[in-house]
Amino acid sequence: MEPVLTMVIGLDGSGREDVQAEGTRVRTAEEAVRLVKGGDSAVLDAPNLRARTRRGILEQLRGVPAVKRAVVTLRPVEQCRACCPEREKEVWEQYLSFQPPETYEGWDEIELRYDESCEKVELMELFFGKDGLVFLPQDNPFHKHSIGMHCLLAARWAAKERPDDAVLQLAALLHDIGKRQTKAFFDSHGNPSPTAHYYGHEFASAYESLFVKFPAAVPESERLRVAALIVWHMTPHFFTQEKTRARYERLLGKKMLDDLAAMGYGELPVCIAKTQYSFSDNAKLTGAPTGFKMNVREVRLSAGAGFVVVICGSIMTMPGLPKHPAAMDIDVDAEGRITGLF
């Protein structure tokens, strides 16, 4: 009889410890791989393993006769935090890095195991109920629409791109629902910010999508595909080199990348970054030359700012500055002492 690798995936407090499965329960991938290679079943408690790491574990078992099974334990994040208050910070970190297992990783079986108290949220309630997403502003000058309206517009775009793909349209509709939970007025360094930021919202959105009641057009069997599209929805727009795209294509598959590309950003305005000395991208062709060709070096997505940047010719770009740059607080007094550096 073939050994079974059971990987239990879920936040602390979601009920991972309650999963009963065949095999020795272990906490490290090395122990699990050793046991399965030796012909014994193993249960790996894996709260923090991302998709690439999980796939690496399964790659080590390539050619080994074994059943690879993933069990995802699910309970709303606030309930998980309440269940283990001493690990509240760790639960939140797991939530903001959650990647649901998908078949492309190499699983034979994937099971979603909900806590018996879980109730799925109706789409109408999520978007238009009390405190619905359509009423929640993004508080970001680069996003003129509310969180809910932004999601609805993304779904409209996906419907135009793929009119017969209800799964893709639903993923587009839900792709930013985690912004409610992750909205914070702090920058990436933890400093107060007048602008809202949403770090890790794609992971939170994927997790929250697992608690949404699907419309009749999308079967429950597609729930993991919806969550995976949400987790990876910005991936294609950060490809600055073909080798980067090729690496993700090997990881996710061409169809997944094509689906992700169809989910949005097709209507964003375009900003062309080039020399200021010429209409062309060549600074030596000053003024308004004619008959020139624009050399596009790369294309970048500035998702937060809400536009696509086309880099032309030999030009350096600078990071954007906040409304109140740190340089404005630097000063030199009459005795030559510098203040405001730190």
Side-chain angles (χ1 to χ4, degrees), residues 50-84:
R50 288 195 173 191
R52 187 173 284 110
T53 305
R54 294 193 300 253
R55 186 174 183 179
I57 294 171
L58 299 185
E59 284 289 334
Q60 295 181 59
L61 297 176
R62 182 187 292 272
V64 177
V67 177
K68 295 98 172 178
R69 176 172 174 254
V71 177
V72 186
T73 55
L74 293 165
R75 182 179 286 164
V77 62
E78 291 306 328
Q79 290 186 26
C80 292
R81 297 173 84 177
C83 285
C84 45

mmCIF file of all heavy atoms in Angstrom, residues 50-84:
data_model
loop_
_atom_site.group_PDB
_atom_site.id
_atom_site.type_symbol
_atom_site.label_atom_id
_atom_site.label_comp_id
_atom_site.label_asym_id
_atom_site.label_seq_id
_atom_site.Cartn_x
_atom_site.Cartn_y
_atom_site.Cartn_z
ATOM 1 N N ARG A 50 4.461 28.477 1.551
ATOM 2 C CA ARG A 50 3.890 29.074 0.349
ATOM 3 C C ARG A 50 3.920 28.080 -0.803
ATOM 4 O O ARG A 50 4.529 27.013 -0.716
ATOM 5 C CB ARG A 50 4.646 30.351 -0.017
ATOM 6 C CG ARG A 50 4.365 31.519 0.928
ATOM 7 C CD ARG A 50 4.842 32.801 0.315
ATOM 8 N NE ARG A 50 4.442 33.956 1.097
ATOM 9 C CZ ARG A 50 4.558 35.198 0.678
ATOM 10 N NH1 ARG A 50 5.062 35.444 -0.515
ATOM 11 N NH2 ARG A 50 4.184 36.208 1.431
ATOM 12 N N ALA A 51 3.289 28.493 -1.904
ATOM 13 C CA ALA A 51 3.121 27.594 -3.043
ATOM 14 C C ALA A 51 4.454 27.059 -3.555
ATOM 15 O O ALA A 51 4.597 25.861 -3.812
ATOM 16 C CB ALA A 51 2.373 28.315 -4.163
ATOM 17 N N ARG A 52 5.438 27.940 -3.711
ATOM 18 C CA ARG A 52 6.720 27.496 -4.272
ATOM 19 C C ARG A 52 7.408 26.496 -3.350
ATOM 20 O O ARG A 52 7.999 25.518 -3.802
ATOM 21 C CB ARG A 52 7.619 28.706 -4.536
ATOM 22 C CG ARG A 52 8.906 28.351 -5.265
ATOM 23 C CD ARG A 52 9.710 29.575 -5.660
ATOM 24 N NE ARG A 52 9.141 30.264 -6.800
ATOM 25 C CZ ARG A 52 8.553 31.464 -6.755
ATOM 26 N NH1 ARG A 52 8.455 32.092 -5.605
ATOM 27 N NH2 ARG A 52 8.069 32.025 -7.838
ATOM 28 N N THR A 53 7.320 26.735 -2.038
ATOM 29 C CA THR A 53 7.931 25.809 -1.076
ATOM 30 C C THR A 53 7.217 24.463 -1.088
ATOM 31 O O THR A 53 7.858 23.405 -1.067
ATOM 32 C CB THR A 53 7.888 26.415 0.338
ATOM 33 O OG1 THR A 53 8.496 27.702 0.318
ATOM 34 C CG2 THR A 53 8.626 25.519 1.323
ATOM 35 N N ARG A 54 5.889 24.505 -1.126
ATOM 36 C CA ARG A 54 5.132 23.248 -1.165
ATOM 37 C C ARG A 54 5.475 22.449 -2.417
ATOM 38 O O ARG A 54 5.642 21.226 -2.372
ATOM 39 C CB ARG A 54 3.626 23.551 -1.127
ATOM 40 C CG ARG A 54 3.148 24.163 0.160
ATOM 41 C CD ARG A 54 1.633 24.135 0.262
ATOM 42 N NE ARG A 54 0.977 24.862 -0.804
ATOM 43 C CZ ARG A 54 0.366 26.043 -0.673
ATOM 44 N NH1 ARG A 54 0.372 26.646 0.507
ATOM 45 N NH2 ARG A 54 -0.235 26.611 -1.689
ATOM 46 N N ARG A 55 5.589 23.172 -3.527
ATOM 47 C CA ARG A 55 5.923 22.477 -4.767
ATOM 48 C C ARG A 55 7.319 21.861 -4.678
ATOM 49 O O ARG A 55 7.561 20.763 -5.191
ATOM 50 C CB ARG A 55 5.850 23.440 -5.948
ATOM 51 C CG ARG A 55 6.052 22.744 -7.283
ATOM 52 C CD ARG A 55 5.826 23.673 -8.451
ATOM 53 N NE ARG A 55 5.967 22.968 -9.710
ATOM 54 C CZ ARG A 55 5.813 23.526 -10.895
ATOM 55 N NH1 ARG A 55 5.497 24.797 -10.986
ATOM 56 N NH2 ARG A 55 5.964 22.822 -11.990
ATOM 57 N N GLY A 56 8.238 22.564 -4.009
ATOM 58 C CA GLY A 56 9.580 22.019 -3.829
ATOM 59 C C GLY A 56 9.571 20.726 -3.037
ATOM 60 O O GLY A 56 10.332 19.790 -3.329
ATOM 61 N N ILE A 57 8.703 20.646 -2.028
ATOM 62 C CA ILE A 57 8.577 19.416 -1.234
ATOM 63 C C ILE A 57 8.066 18.278 -2.112
ATOM 64 O O ILE A 57 8.588 17.155 -2.090
ATOM 65 C CB ILE A 57 7.629 19.643 -0.040
ATOM 66 C CG1 ILE A 57 8.249 20.645 0.929
ATOM 67 C CG2 ILE A 57 7.322 18.325 0.669
ATOM 68 C CD1 ILE A 57 7.303 21.106 2.020
ATOM 69 N N LEU A 58 7.046 18.570 -2.915
ATOM 70 C CA LEU A 58 6.483 17.536 -3.780
ATOM 71 C C LEU A 58 7.471 17.111 -4.860
ATOM 72 O O LEU A 58 7.475 15.953 -5.288
ATOM 73 C CB LEU A 58 5.177 18.018 -4.406
ATOM 74 C CG LEU A 58 4.056 18.359 -3.416
ATOM 75 C CD1 LEU A 58 2.775 18.702 -4.155
ATOM 76 C CD2 LEU A 58 3.806 17.208 -2.449
ATOM 77 N N GLU A 59 8.309 18.060 -5.308
ATOM 78 C CA GLU A 59 9.340 17.711 -6.299
ATOM 79 C C GLU A 59 10.308 16.685 -5.736
ATOM 80 O O GLU A 59 10.812 15.827 -6.460
ATOM 81 C CB GLU A 59 10.098 18.976 -6.736
ATOM 82 C CG GLU A 59 9.342 19.874 -7.699
ATOM 83 C CD GLU A 59 9.217 19.259 -9.081
ATOM 84 O OE1 GLU A 59 10.077 18.428 -9.447
ATOM 85 O OE2 GLU A 59 8.259 19.598 -9.796
ATOM 86 N N GLN A 60 10.589 16.770 -4.441
ATOM 87 C CA GLN A 60 11.490 15.801 -3.814
ATOM 88 C C GLN A 60 10.897 14.399 -3.812
ATOM 89 O O GLN A 60 11.627 13.412 -3.681
ATOM 90 C CB GLN A 60 11.803 16.228 -2.378
ATOM 91 C CG GLN A 60 12.586 17.519 -2.267
ATOM 92 C CD GLN A 60 12.887 17.854 -0.821
ATOM 93 O OE1 GLN A 60 13.534 17.073 -0.105
ATOM 94 N NE2 GLN A 60 12.420 18.999 -0.358
ATOM 95 N N LEU A 61 9.577 14.332 -3.956
ATOM 96 C CA LEU A 61 8.903 13.031 -3.963
ATOM 97 C C LEU A 61 8.549 12.576 -5.370
ATOM 98 O O LEU A 61 7.826 11.583 -5.533
ATOM 99 C CB LEU A 61 7.628 13.103 -3.105
ATOM 100 C CG LEU A 61 7.853 13.390 -1.613
ATOM 101 C CD1 LEU A 61 6.523 13.542 -0.901
ATOM 102 C CD2 LEU A 61 8.679 12.276 -0.963
ATOM 103 N N ARG A 62 9.050 13.302 -6.368
ATOM 104 C CA ARG A 62 8.793 12.897 -7.746
ATOM 105 C C ARG A 62 9.350 11.492 -7.984
ATOM 106 O O ARG A 62 10.508 11.196 -7.681
ATOM 107 C CB ARG A 62 9.431 13.880 -8.719
ATOM 108 C CG ARG A 62 9.162 13.545 -10.194
ATOM 109 C CD ARG A 62 9.976 14.456 -11.104
ATOM 110 N NE ARG A 62 9.518 15.817 -11.037
ATOM 111 C CZ ARG A 62 8.548 16.319 -11.801
ATOM 112 N NH1 ARG A 62 7.925 15.531 -12.669
ATOM 113 N NH2 ARG A 62 8.191 17.582 -11.701
ATOM 114 N N GLY A 63 8.550 10.628 -8.537
ATOM 115 C CA GLY A 63 8.971 9.255 -8.801
ATOM 116 C C GLY A 63 8.784 8.314 -7.626
ATOM 117 O O GLY A 63 8.924 7.093 -7.777
ATOM 118 N N VAL A 64 8.476 8.880 -6.448
ATOM 119 C CA VAL A 64 8.234 8.042 -5.267
ATOM 120 C C VAL A 64 6.760 7.639 -5.261
ATOM 121 O O VAL A 64 5.883 8.508 -5.319
ATOM 122 C CB VAL A 64 8.572 8.809 -3.974
ATOM 123 C CG1 VAL A 64 8.239 7.950 -2.745
ATOM 124 C CG2 VAL A 64 10.037 9.223 -3.963
ATOM 125 N N PRO A 65 6.443 6.354 -5.223
ATOM 126 C CA PRO A 65 5.028 5.940 -5.198
ATOM 127 C C PRO A 65 4.374 6.350 -3.884
ATOM 128 O O PRO A 65 4.596 5.732 -2.838
ATOM 129 C CB PRO A 65 5.108 4.411 -5.340
ATOM 130 C CG PRO A 65 6.484 4.046 -4.887
ATOM 131 C CD PRO A 65 7.362 5.197 -5.215
ATOM 132 N N ALA A 66 3.613 7.427 -3.930
ATOM 133 C CA ALA A 66 2.965 7.952 -2.728
ATOM 134 C C ALA A 66 1.787 8.822 -3.139
ATOM 135 O O ALA A 66 1.752 9.375 -4.230
ATOM 136 C CB ALA A 66 3.960 8.762 -1.895
ATOM 137 N N VAL A 67 0.815 8.944 -2.248
ATOM 138 C CA VAL A 67 -0.342 9.813 -2.459
ATOM 139 C C VAL A 67 -0.060 11.144 -1.770
ATOM 140 O O VAL A 67 0.298 11.181 -0.590
ATOM 141 C CB VAL A 67 -1.625 9.181 -1.879
ATOM 142 C CG1 VAL A 67 -2.813 10.135 -2.034
ATOM 143 C CG2 VAL A 67 -1.913 7.851 -2.553
ATOM 144 N N LYS A 68 -0.183 12.230 -2.539
ATOM 145 C CA LYS A 68 0.049 13.568 -1.977
ATOM 146 C C LYS A 68 -1.297 14.253 -1.756
ATOM 147 O O LYS A 68 -2.025 14.509 -2.703
ATOM 148 C CB LYS A 68 0.915 14.420 -2.898
ATOM 149 C CG LYS A 68 2.342 13.910 -3.081
ATOM 150 C CD LYS A 68 2.484 13.117 -4.336
ATOM 151 C CE LYS A 68 3.936 12.760 -4.622
ATOM 152 N NZ LYS A 68 4.078 11.932 -5.854
ATOM 153 N N ARG A 69 -1.565 14.555 -0.503
ATOM 154 C CA ARG A 69 -2.895 15.061 -0.126
ATOM 155 C C ARG A 69 -2.753 16.338 0.685
ATOM 156 O O ARG A 69 -1.948 16.412 1.610
ATOM 157 C CB ARG A 69 -3.619 13.986 0.686
ATOM 158 C CG ARG A 69 -4.960 14.348 1.243
ATOM 159 C CD ARG A 69 -5.600 13.101 1.837
ATOM 160 N NE ARG A 69 -6.856 13.417 2.513
ATOM 161 C CZ ARG A 69 -7.008 13.445 3.833
ATOM 162 N NH1 ARG A 69 -5.975 13.154 4.622
ATOM 163 N NH2 ARG A 69 -8.172 13.735 4.366
ATOM 164 N N ALA A 70 -3.529 17.376 0.312
ATOM 165 C CA ALA A 70 -3.541 18.628 1.067
ATOM 166 C C ALA A 70 -4.900 18.809 1.716
ATOM 167 O O ALA A 70 -5.934 18.614 1.081
ATOM 168 C CB ALA A 70 -3.248 19.810 0.151
ATOM 169 N N VAL A 71 -4.882 19.170 2.993
ATOM 170 C CA VAL A 71 -6.117 19.469 3.724
ATOM 171 C C VAL A 71 -6.006 20.904 4.229
ATOM 172 O O VAL A 71 -5.072 21.247 4.957
ATOM 173 C CB VAL A 71 -6.322 18.515 4.914
ATOM 174 C CG1 VAL A 71 -7.589 18.900 5.694
ATOM 175 C CG2 VAL A 71 -6.414 17.071 4.436
ATOM 176 N N VAL A 72 -6.956 21.759 3.822
ATOM 177 C CA VAL A 72 -6.961 23.170 4.230
ATOM 178 C C VAL A 72 -8.037 23.360 5.289
ATOM 179 O O VAL A 72 -9.223 23.132 5.029
ATOM 180 C CB VAL A 72 -7.237 24.100 3.031
ATOM 181 C CG1 VAL A 72 -7.098 25.558 3.460
ATOM 182 C CG2 VAL A 72 -6.302 23.785 1.875
ATOM 183 N N THR A 73 -7.623 23.762 6.488
ATOM 184 C CA THR A 73 -8.586 24.015 7.570
ATOM 185 C C THR A 73 -8.964 25.490 7.548
ATOM 186 O O THR A 73 -8.099 26.364 7.493
ATOM 187 C CB THR A 73 -7.996 23.634 8.928
ATOM 188 O OG1 THR A 73 -6.751 24.323 9.124
ATOM 189 C CG2 THR A 73 -7.739 22.136 9.000
ATOM 190 N N LEU A 74 -10.264 25.763 7.589
ATOM 191 C CA LEU A 74 -10.752 27.125 7.361
ATOM 192 C C LEU A 74 -11.669 27.603 8.481
ATOM 193 O O LEU A 74 -12.622 26.919 8.863
ATOM 194 C CB LEU A 74 -11.491 27.187 6.024
ATOM 195 C CG LEU A 74 -10.600 26.985 4.791
ATOM 196 C CD1 LEU A 74 -11.435 26.705 3.558
ATOM 197 C CD2 LEU A 74 -9.724 28.213 4.575
ATOM 198 N N ARG A 75 -11.328 28.776 8.982
ATOM 199 C CA ARG A 75 -12.129 29.486 9.967
ATOM 200 C C ARG A 75 -11.828 30.964 9.753
ATOM 201 O O ARG A 75 -10.687 31.326 9.454
ATOM 202 C CB ARG A 75 -11.731 29.037 11.382
ATOM 203 C CG ARG A 75 -12.522 29.680 12.505
ATOM 204 C CD ARG A 75 -12.042 29.140 13.842
ATOM 205 N NE ARG A 75 -12.506 27.769 14.088
ATOM 206 C CZ ARG A 75 -12.001 26.973 15.012
ATOM 207 N NH1 ARG A 75 -10.987 27.384 15.765
ATOM 208 N NH2 ARG A 75 -12.485 25.764 15.192
ATOM 209 N N PRO A 76 -12.805 31.867 9.853
ATOM 210 C CA PRO A 76 -12.539 33.304 9.662
ATOM 211 C C PRO A 76 -11.360 33.776 10.503
ATOM 212 O O PRO A 76 -11.175 33.324 11.641
ATOM 213 C CB PRO A 76 -13.849 33.969 10.078
ATOM 214 C CG PRO A 76 -14.893 32.931 9.785
ATOM 215 C CD PRO A 76 -14.239 31.614 10.108
ATOM 216 N N VAL A 77 -10.584 34.693 9.943
ATOM 217 C CA VAL A 77 -9.339 35.100 10.587
ATOM 218 C C VAL A 77 -9.572 35.671 11.985
ATOM 219 O O VAL A 77 -8.774 35.412 12.901
ATOM 220 C CB VAL A 77 -8.569 36.102 9.696
ATOM 221 C CG1 VAL A 77 -9.356 37.381 9.476
ATOM 222 C CG2 VAL A 77 -7.200 36.422 10.294
ATOM 223 N N GLU A 78 -10.646 36.417 12.191
ATOM 224 C CA GLU A 78 -10.881 36.987 13.514
ATOM 225 C C GLU A 78 -11.174 35.891 14.534
ATOM 226 O O GLU A 78 -10.805 36.009 15.706
ATOM 227 C CB GLU A 78 -12.022 38.002 13.462
ATOM 228 C CG GLU A 78 -11.675 39.267 12.687
ATOM 229 C CD GLU A 78 -10.404 39.945 13.202
ATOM 230 O OE1 GLU A 78 -10.123 39.860 14.422
ATOM 231 O OE2 GLU A 78 -9.678 40.554 12.392
ATOM 232 N N GLN A 79 -11.834 34.831 14.103
ATOM 233 C CA GLN A 79 -12.064 33.702 15.002
ATOM 234 C C GLN A 79 -10.756 32.995 15.332
ATOM 235 O O GLN A 79 -10.541 32.545 16.455
ATOM 236 C CB GLN A 79 -13.061 32.728 14.392
ATOM 237 C CG GLN A 79 -14.484 33.247 14.306
ATOM 238 C CD GLN A 79 -15.461 32.188 13.818
ATOM 239 O OE1 GLN A 79 -15.239 30.989 13.988
ATOM 240 N NE2 GLN A 79 -16.539 32.625 13.185
ATOM 241 N N CYS A 80 -9.879 32.886 14.324
ATOM 242 C CA CYS A 80 -8.567 32.261 14.559
ATOM 243 C C CYS A 80 -7.772 33.058 15.577
ATOM 244 O O CYS A 80 -7.143 32.492 16.479
ATOM 245 C CB CYS A 80 -7.789 32.165 13.247
ATOM 246 S SG CYS A 80 -8.478 31.017 12.037
ATOM 247 N N ARG A 81 -7.812 34.379 15.463
ATOM 248 C CA ARG A 81 -7.074 35.229 16.404
ATOM 249 C C ARG A 81 -7.661 35.109 17.808
ATOM 250 O O ARG A 81 -6.924 35.109 18.802
ATOM 251 C CB ARG A 81 -7.107 36.677 15.928
ATOM 252 C CG ARG A 81 -6.412 36.882 14.593
ATOM 253 C CD ARG A 81 -6.609 38.286 14.061
ATOM 254 N NE ARG A 81 -5.655 39.217 14.630
ATOM 255 C CZ ARG A 81 -5.579 40.501 14.294
ATOM 256 N NH1 ARG A 81 -6.416 40.992 13.395
ATOM 257 N NH2 ARG A 81 -4.674 41.293 14.843
ATOM 258 N N ALA A 82 -8.975 34.999 17.877
ATOM 259 C CA ALA A 82 -9.623 34.865 19.183
ATOM 260 C C ALA A 82 -9.313 33.515 19.833
ATOM 261 O O ALA A 82 -9.245 33.404 21.063
ATOM 262 C CB ALA A 82 -11.136 35.038 19.033
ATOM 263 N N CYS A 83 -9.106 32.480 19.001
ATOM 264 C CA CYS A 83 -8.821 31.135 19.519
ATOM 265 C C CYS A 83 -7.436 31.032 20.139
ATOM 266 O O CYS A 83 -7.207 30.190 21.016
ATOM 267 C CB CYS A 83 -8.962 30.105 18.402
ATOM 268 S SG CYS A 83 -10.661 29.738 17.950
ATOM 269 N N CYS A 84 -6.494 31.831 19.656
ATOM 270 C CA CYS A 84 -5.137 31.767 20.210
ATOM 271 C C CYS A 84 -4.587 33.188 20.345
ATOM 272 O O CYS A 84 -3.742 33.610 19.539
ATOM 273 C CB CYS A 84 -4.228 30.889 19.357
ATOM 274 S SG CYS A 84 -4.360 31.154 17.576
#
